Amino acid sequence: MTLSLNRISTSLQDDFQAQAETIRISGTVQGVGFRPTVYRLAHQYHLRGEVFNDGQGVCIHAIGTTANLDHFIQQLQVDCPPLARIDAIARFPLIETVSFPDFRIVESVTTSVSTDITPDAATCPQCVADTLDPFSRWYRYPFTNCTHCGPRLSIIQTLPYDRPHTSMAAFPMCPECAEAYHNVGDRRFHAQPVACHQCGPHAWLERADGRAIVAAMVSRMDAVDAACTFIQRGAIVAIKGIGGMHLACDATNEAAVQKLRQRKRRYDKPFALMARDLAVIEQYCLISDEDRKLLESPAAPIVLLKVKPAPSLPHSPSLAPELSTLGFMLPYTPLHHLMLRRLNRPIVFTSGNLSDEPQCIDNTEAHEKLGAIADFFLLHNRAIVNRVDDSVVRVIHGQPQVLRRARGYAPAPIPLPAGFEQAPNILAMGSELKNTFCLLKNGRAILSQHLGDLENAAALMTYQNTLKLYLDLFQHQPAAIAIDQHPEYLSTKLGRDLAESQSLPLHPIQHHHAHVAACMVENNIPLDSPSVLGIALDGLGMGNDGTLWGGEFLLTHYTHYQRLARFQPVALLGGNQAMVQPWRNTYAHLMATFDWNELQANYGNLELIQFLDNQPRSLLDQMRQKGINSPLASSAGRLFDAVAAALGLSREKVSYEGQAAIQLEALIQTADLALAQASPYALSWQEIQTASQMMLELDSQAMWRSLLNDLQQLTAPGMIAAKFHMGLANAIAQLVQRLSQTHAFTHVALTGGVWQNAILAHSVQQHLTAMNFTVLTHHLVPPNDGGLSLGQAAIAAACWLTSPSSTQGH
């Protein structure tokens, strides 16, 4: 719409008309320096008007020539700030009578919420420079930030993202910070956490025993530097960060690392590490270009890196027992940069919690729970509103795969594929382990940060509190609730209670269907696409037949699936005990293949058989034969456990999920793979009749015979592990080829926690790509249960969209 010059009171020339528009920008556009960019470009293109935040994103009222408005919109997409993401730009005529003497930034407007919350971002290079510059007023300030970096999700209480709505509301700005905050030409313009030594949060150091720290103990310049000194001396320091507490010690000091393991009761699980810069990390690990990009990205995740065959410097062997990778991250706050400034070695930087509990976020809570672990506490007085753990990423086949989605990634939304535009608001509750929940709103999926294992009471409370916060933040009123169909999951029970209390439709979703759907969503597979073959390999999930699944080949659409093949179901001897004592899986698999007398006759000299013979076999056999506390499970994860335990890896007990399988992968050297490809173990597929259908089933009998023969021949464990991986990859590829002859599909989705295995994933991708299949893998959400809620939400939405009158569960 065009308006007369008099009506809009501009100083534009009389030989053309001015165009007046409302321009709405949606996406990640608040708290990221977006309005200053709009302001600068508006002046560059001689526009008049205003820009402000509201619940929908950023709104612009602009008046100028049609050409200048078009150029403005184009350049806005080119000059989008580093942390911003534009999802949509809508332009409408500005109908109201207006008078703008110039272009300005105005106060936020509170409306219904449909904008995004920006993830916490690592300190930008400019703020690092300010923090280390002796002539800067931010010199050695541990909380330096600007619009391009710093805390976001961890401090926000409500939208729009303005300082009064964050935990920074407790710190009124000094005149200098206020000047920077209100100066549109300043990098800190409207940076909500902006602060300095004079007006912002401050850090201090305490002893765990409450005694005073005297200057003679450290003789350093401030509390952060003193913490560095104590770490160098072998102490454990609890450090309050952006999203929670961490426990730190010298990673090259074996005594300090062992002390941390004993005190934290974390005996085997690998520790995360932090190093000052890439040069330090490169002394220990191989770093690819993709690894480097991830380490230096604003998300700054923990990146799993391959340990060098001969590291330049020694490190504690207890950092990652029996593994071939180390998880490294770079400093992502000014406090970290200052603390590591004079350290030429890495530090352990693990979550500040008791084993299996969520991170501590409160100073008092930290003293109560970590007082027996840490020697010192480096604390600060900025409240952490939202607990946000560190993200974990691994590069597989040249592509990043998120293993834990938290700081730096959550809660950035994931656009839904075509066909989901009219999806209703869905709340998906996630799984029991590695839990996240998901909100579907306005054609996008908002996943929570990683919340942990709900079987832990503290994690369950965090889950409930975080869910309430998200529902309030995003003003989300669910029209339906999606849950896992396992009746005993705590997330399932909470979802049922919530649906009942609000009279909402409930969608119980099969576990592996949700895994495949999550992979389809993040690979942008439209709602009306042909079915995809999903290969869902994980530990356990409840099947729709009431049995436990975990090695599934599903011809999958968003609204339905057909089970075409499975791994051979094998008894879980002792139920849950089989998940923590891998030898039980070895025995179950061997007894599904052999008679015990045959094992004794042919392989009785093996240490493995002697070990199993010393277990209560008669009781185990009765349990297996009578089905007492020994449910059958087609679990790929338990097969990996069985092979690992056969080689003596964590045979008697694991202390964290996937431990034996991770150690099995770590045995394999590049040379092993090259040889194993010539003589992989044979795994085949046989047709079987189930109660409801014919299907194909993995037969591992030949594999077990070959493995036991190799043990007798004293074949190196790494070679045995490689032959198992190569044989399984071959079998999977052969099955896909066989299924494609009787079922129509061109896309194959690899999903479930087993696909975190880089060797298996890489090999299968190579096979399938050579067969001209399009392989779908995870990059945005974890393949493990951390991505399950995305699939649940998508399936519930698809069922709603295709049967809008239905209120029945899936």
Side-chain angles (χ1 to χ4, degrees), residues 204-213 217 230 235-239 245 247 259 263 363-379:
W204 65 89
L205 191 66
E206 299 177 1
R207 286 177 57 137
D209 60 12
R211 296 165 59 191
I213 298 174
M217 296 175 64
F230 287 126
I236 297 170
V237 181
I239 300 167
M245 301 290 299
L247 292 164
K259 180 171 65 173
R263 290 182 180 180
N363 293 350
T364 302
E365 176 196 25
H367 270 292
E368 292 173 353
K369 293 190 174 182
L370 306 181
I373 301 176
D375 301 307
F376 297 90
F377 287 84
L378 181 59
L379 303 174

Side-chain angles (χ1 to χ4, degrees), residues 479 498-505:
L498 191 58
E500 183 177 351
S501 66
Q502 299 186 19
S503 300
L504 296 174

Side-chain angles (χ1 to χ4, degrees), residues 633-674:
S634 57
S635 171
R638 300 294 80 80
L639 174 61
F640 274 81
D641 283 354
V643 173
L647 299 185
L649 300 172
S650 297
R651 178 181 288 168
E652 296 191 53
K653 188 175 182 180
V654 295
S655 62
Y656 63 91
E657 187 188 13
Q659 179 179 350
I662 295 169
Q663 291 172 339
L664 183 67
E665 180 189 0
L667 283 179
I668 302 171
Q669 303 297 319
T670 303
D672 294 330
L673 286 176

Side-chain angles (χ1 to χ4, degrees), residues 539-563:
L540 293 172
M542 181 65 72
N544 62 2
D545 59 359
T547 66
L548 297 173
W549 295 3
E552 311 307 319
F553 293 73
L554 309 177
L555 192 62
T556 307
H557 188 273
Y558 286 112
T559 58
H560 56 272
Y561 65 90
Q562 180 184 357
R563 192 185 190 197

